[in-house]
Amino acid sequence: METVIETVNFTATRVIVTSEKSFEEITNKIETINGKSDSTVFQQMIGAKQSFEQIKSGIESMIGQSGFMIFSQIEHGKLMSLAGKNKKAKLYIIGNPLIANQMFEQNPAVGLYVPLRLFVYDDYNGKTHVAYDKPSSLLGQFPNEKISTIMQMLDQKFEEMVRIAT
């Protein structure tokens, strides 16, 4: 059996939105409009071998008004503040398993990029920045019509979520 190594180069497009709103205002809004994943619910669904409709219903109960849920939050700022200067920075891992699954069925390698990432940080000058890599730029490397349609929709959903938060 032969091992094959493939290298793929692609370009990503980063969006950075700068706001006069405080770090706390923006992160609170992001956490309000996005649902929260519940690993206990996921484990129960897996263990119970539920039907797709039951699983879909369980997932939908965790999705917020944005169409996404927060899978994880990493408090970069608190960790970096240990070095001295107070910093505010938070990384969100955000997605929707129902949307991701549609792409995963086309090409499982999309799992490298979904769920997506959203980073919020302040700049010490009273401005807060929200940064993310445009989903279409990350997923555009997968030439597939269904993935293309979904990634355009994800671009719109991320843009709307950030607009509401900022």
Side-chain angles (χ1 to χ4, degrees), residues 9 14-15 17 22 47 50 52 56 70 74 90-91 113 121 132 143:
N9 292 313
R14 178 143 316 123
V15 176
V17 178
S22 72
Q50 295 182 338
F52 178 72
K56 184 178 174 188
I70 298 171
I74 301 170
K90 191 183 282 192
L91 175 68
Y113 301 101
Y121 59 97
Y132 64 94

Side-chain angles (χ1 to χ4, degrees), residues 10-166:
F10 70 97
T11 302
T13 301
R14 178 143 316 123
V15 176
I16 303 170
V17 178
T18 302
S19 175
E20 298 289 331
K21 289 184 180 176
S22 72
F23 175 83
E24 291 77 15
E25 284 178 278
I26 291 174
T27 55
N28 286 339
K29 190 64 169 180
I30 288 168
E31 292 168 22
T32 299
I33 64 175
N34 287 287
K36 182 96 169 123
S37 72
D38 185 335
S39 59
T40 305
V41 172
F42 284 129
Q43 291 303 319
Q44 289 171 348
M45 287 189 287
I46 292 166
K49 297 180 180 162
Q50 295 182 338
S51 71
F52 178 72
E53 285 307 313
Q54 290 171 309
I55 291 169
K56 184 178 174 188
S57 177
I59 290 171
E60 287 173 342
S61 73
M62 291 183 265
I63 294 171
Q65 97 183 53
S66 67
F68 299 115
M69 66 177 76
I70 298 171
F71 287 93
S72 180
Q73 300 175 47
I74 301 170
E75 298 272 359
H76 282 312
K78 288 182 180 178
L79 181 61
M80 297 302 124
S81 293
L82 296 174
K85 191 172 183 181
N86 186 32
K87 297 174 182 73
K88 295 179 182 175
K90 191 183 282 192
L91 175 68
Y92 295 95
I93 308 300
I94 296 177
N96 180 326
L98 300 172
I99 296 171
N101 187 56
Q102 294 173 45
M103 294 185 292
F104 193 83
E105 288 176 354
Q106 303 300 310
N107 189 332
V110 301
L112 186 58
Y113 301 101
V114 294
L116 299 160
R117 298 162 61 111
L118 181 76
F119 188 55
V120 182
Y121 59 97
D122 74 352
D123 65 3
Y124 307 118
N125 295 316
K127 296 195 183 343
T128 303
H129 306 276
V130 180
Y132 64 94
D133 291 333
K134 216 170 178 182
S136 61
S137 72
L138 296 172
L139 300 167
Q141 65 185 291
F142 304 105
N144 177 285
E145 191 174 321
K146 189 165 188 174
I147 292 173
S148 293
T149 300
I150 294 168
M151 67 187 188
Q152 297 302 322
M153 178 265 299
L154 289 172
D155 281 355
Q156 292 172 351
K157 282 185 161 301
F158 253 64
E159 184 178 319
E160 177 70 8
M161 175 180 51
V162 171
R163 186 191 60 73
I164 290 169
T166 58

